[in-house]
Amino acid sequence: MNSDPLAPLDLAFWNIETAEHPMHLAALGVFTANSPTAGAHAAELLATRAAAVPGLRMRIRDVWLPDVRLPLAFGGATREPVADFEPFDHVRLHAPTADFHEVAGRLMERPLERGRPPWEAHVLPGEDGTTFAVLFKFHHALADGLRALTLAAAVMDPMDLPAPRPRPAEPPRGLLDEVRKLPDLVRGTFSDLGRALDIGASVARTTLEATLGARSSTALTSEASGTRRTAGVLVDLDDVHRIRKTVGGTVNDVLIAVVAGALRRWLDERGDGSEGVAPRALIPVSRRRPRTAYPQGNRLSGYLMKLPVDDPDPLGRLRTVRTAMDRNKDAGPNRGAGAVALLADHVLPLGHRLGGPLVSQAARLWFDILVTSVPLPSLGLRLGGCPLEEIYPLAPLAHGQSLAVAVSTYRGSVHYGLVADAEAVPDLELLSRAVTREVQDLLAACEL
């Protein structure tokens, strides 16, 4: 297995990480235990199977000197296999707990160790002996949501899934090959520069449009404390479909509108007030084909929209979200403010390293809250014969932001995963209850 240079967006995630803002994404899965020792058995299985998964043996190594094979990786990083990989260093069995999310919050605070493959699996047995949970953590530079799902599925019980399309092998290149390519590289650089300027202008224009008239809440933007709290909410997918069929739009429109309504209720109940509040939400958009395992790097763009938190009408909020999403889709992921992620492709590796700290500070200027959707298979997953009943995706927090929302659908339910700065949002459970109540309000409004 050879070394590969990190894709530009992966390199950006690698360099914007700080101790207060670790750039790992995660998923908390809850399993039904088939024995009192099911958690311990699961931990052993995870470590044993991880040893056979090539993607889990990869570490990220900083590159400071130019290389004949990878001349443009100077100042960047490569993904390379670890010869002495020890899977039991990455899988930990914890003491029994009555609150999976309480433990998950503490574990989300800890950055992954950068000198070894950047992933971890934490097995949390339930105190009652009938359940256990597994918290999977993957650095965003190692995997996006779809890639993380592929890696996690590789250590679950075997399933009959379509094989990913293989990546064509690249022949070894020498210095002469690189010299011959210089004219094409120069032409490509000018072409890329023009595209970057076009994307940059579009980003600036649409960011300004989204910012005008937008007002966030101090509950959503705060100085980082480095602490984390997580919560999960289950919603019946049939209820979401009933709302969608009544009002129109997509399932994703409904799920985003639920977030807007829940934020409104939460702000009012905690005394902050929702009047005039319209925070800017970043909605990531995957540019990767679902059955394609390669390239391994992040393939993301995004949409930016103002969440109608200040609208008192549930159906009015949904219509606003639907209109904004339709407008984003018409413009395409290469034209909106969320396309700023595409600019990473046009920055040399050394630029990412030097500019990473500045970029990490700019997130607050760009958006106020992340609302992302993570795809999951419709088939039931198992670990050691124990069925996966619930799975809550957990997104990283950007600098200066207090809350991130990730959503997945799995076996007839919608799973909302909430991640918050524990000091800025000590009442995350209040927001999770607001999500459930917002769905009920939308259902009631549809029946009128």
Side-chain angles (χ1 to χ4, degrees), residues 99-114:
D99 189 340
F100 296 138
H101 279 285
E102 192 272 333
V103 179
R106 295 200 309 269
L107 294 172
M108 288 293 289
E109 297 175 4
R110 306 176 188 174
L112 293 163
E113 188 173 328
R114 293 169 74 94

Side-chain angles (χ1 to χ4, degrees), residues 63 65-75 173-175 178 185 349:
V63 176
L65 298 176
D67 183 275
V68 170
R69 192 178 68 86
L70 305 170
L72 298 181
F74 168 60
R173 298 195 302 266
L175 181 59
E178 299 297 336
L185 287 173

Side-chain angles (χ1 to χ4, degrees), residues 18-22 101-102 104-106 108-109 217-231 266 270 364 368-370 394-405 417-429 431:
T18 65
E20 294 78 17
H21 289 281
H101 279 285
E102 192 272 333
R106 295 200 309 269
M108 288 293 289
E109 297 175 4
S217 167
T218 54
L220 298 178
T221 55
S222 67
E223 294 302 321
S225 71
T227 60
R228 293 292 182 271
R229 184 184 301 270
T230 75
W266 174 63
R270 77 197 313 253
R364 179 186 292 182
D368 303 306
I369 183 173
L370 177 74
L394 303 171
L397 280 183
H399 181 85
Q401 295 170 356
S402 305
L403 179 67
V405 181
L418 311 178
V419 178
D421 185 290
E423 291 188 10
V425 186
D427 55 350
L428 190 60
E429 292 76 13
L431 177 60

Side-chain angles (χ1 to χ4, degrees), residues 333-417:
N334 296 337
R335 304 295 301 177
V340 69
L342 302 181
L343 293 175
D345 294 342
H346 305 279
V347 178
L348 290 176
L350 188 59
H352 282 291
R353 183 176 299 280
L354 298 177
L358 295 176
V359 172
S360 69
Q361 301 287 326
R364 179 186 292 182
L365 303 176
W366 179 29
F367 64 98
D368 303 306
I369 183 173
L370 177 74
V371 183
T372 183
S373 178
V374 182
L376 289 176
S378 57
L379 299 175
L381 298 173
R382 291 176 175 270
L383 179 58
C386 300
L388 175 64
E389 304 292 354
E390 304 169 22
I391 182 163
Y392 301 100
L394 303 171
L397 280 183
H399 181 85
Q401 295 170 356
S402 305
L403 179 67
V405 181
V407 192
S408 288
T409 57
Y410 175 71
R411 301 194 69 186
S413 295
V414 177
H415 296 71
Y416 280 90

Side-chain angles (χ1 to χ4, degrees), residues 255-343:
L255 300 181
I256 296 171
V258 167
V259 173
L263 289 174
R264 174 183 176 82
R265 185 185 299 275
W266 174 63
L267 291 173
D268 288 342
E269 290 182 351
R270 77 197 313 253
D272 289 348
S274 60
E275 184 177 354
V277 174
R280 297 160 300 168
L282 176 65
I283 318 293
V285 177
S286 175
R287 297 166 57 237
R288 184 199 300 276
R289 294 183 179 181
R291 290 186 61 187
T292 303
Y294 297 99
Q296 295 183 3
N298 281 273
R299 304 286 294 171
L300 293 172
S301 182
Y303 298 143
L304 193 69
M305 63 175 294
K306 290 185 287 187
L307 291 179
V309 172
D310 56 346
D311 189 340
D313 176 20
L315 296 184
R317 291 192 292 268
L318 177 51
R319 285 191 290 268
T320 298
V321 167
R322 179 184 177 186
T323 299
M325 288 299 289
D326 286 346
R327 188 182 302 117
N328 274 311
K329 292 171 187 174
D330 288 342
N334 296 337
R335 304 295 301 177
V340 69
L342 302 181
L343 293 175

Side-chain angles (χ1 to χ4, degrees), residues 202-284:
S202 177
V203 167
R205 182 177 61 255
T206 51
T207 300
L208 179 61
E209 292 171 354
T211 301
L212 293 175
R215 185 175 79 81
S216 188
S217 167
T218 54
L220 298 178
T221 55
S222 67
E223 294 302 321
S225 71
T227 60
R228 293 292 182 271
R229 184 184 301 270
T230 75
V233 187
L234 273 179
V235 172
D236 192 328
L237 184 58
D238 287 341
D239 288 343
V240 175
H241 279 301
R242 277 194 285 271
I243 297 167
R244 178 189 62 80
K245 290 177 181 178
T246 300
V247 181
T250 67
V251 166
N252 202 40
D253 294 342
V254 177
L255 300 181
I256 296 171
V258 167
V259 173
L263 289 174
R264 174 183 176 82
R265 185 185 299 275
W266 174 63
L267 291 173
D268 288 342
E269 290 182 351
R270 77 197 313 253
D272 289 348
S274 60
E275 184 177 354
V277 174
R280 297 160 300 168
L282 176 65
I283 318 293

